[in-house]
């Protein structure tokens, strides 16, 4: 999925300060991640955002997932892909 394929203007997070999605400290992540997940849960472009992030984004909170969660999912996906 390409960036241009996603209707970002429909995102539930539109207008939220970008820094909220690139939290640096553990304390910030523990404090704000639950709020970000709630925003994503009802977002009309949730699936597209998650797919885009899974394919392209290394940093930040996208599609309801942290960078670490996406990295772990990618690793699991690769293992499953090559095990089949």
């Amino acid at each position: 999925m390409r960036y241009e394929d996603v209707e970002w203007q429909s995102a539930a997070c539109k207008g939220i300060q970008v820094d909220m999605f690139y939290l640096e400290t553990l304390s910030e992540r523990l404090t704000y991640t639950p709020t970000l997940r709630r925003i994503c849960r009802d977002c009309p472009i949730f699936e597209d955002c998650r797919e885009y992030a899974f394919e392209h984004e290394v940093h930040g909170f996208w599609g309801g997932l942290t960078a670490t969660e996406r990295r772990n999912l990618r690793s699991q996906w690769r293992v499953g892909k090559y095990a089949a």
Side-chain angles (χ1 to χ4, degrees):
M1 171 164 291
R2 297 175 316 158
Y3 187 87
E4 301 82 31
D5 296 333
V6 181
E7 294 185 30
W8 300 109
Q9 69 277 7
S10 300
C13 62
K14 183 178 177 183
I16 296 175
Q17 192 171 2
V18 173
D19 294 352
M20 287 288 299
F21 299 92
Y22 294 92
L23 303 171
E24 302 215 0
T25 68
L26 177 59
S27 175
E28 289 175 327
R29 288 191 296 272
L30 290 172
T31 300
Y32 296 110
T33 296
T35 300
L36 296 175
R37 287 193 201 285
R38 281 193 296 278
I39 292 167
C40 290
R41 182 178 49 223
D42 297 322
C43 182
I45 65 162
F46 172 78
E47 294 294 332
D48 287 345
C49 180
R50 181 173 275 198
E51 181 180 337
Y52 171 80
F54 185 76
E55 294 174 5
H56 302 284
E57 294 297 332
V58 178
H59 304 288
F61 190 93
W62 291 75
L65 298 171
T66 66
T68 300
E69 291 167 334
R70 286 193 310 280
R71 186 172 43 254
N72 291 339
L73 286 171
R74 285 183 194 112
S75 294
Q76 292 172 10
W77 179 78
R78 285 185 191 111
V79 168
K81 180 179 178 182
Y82 295 114

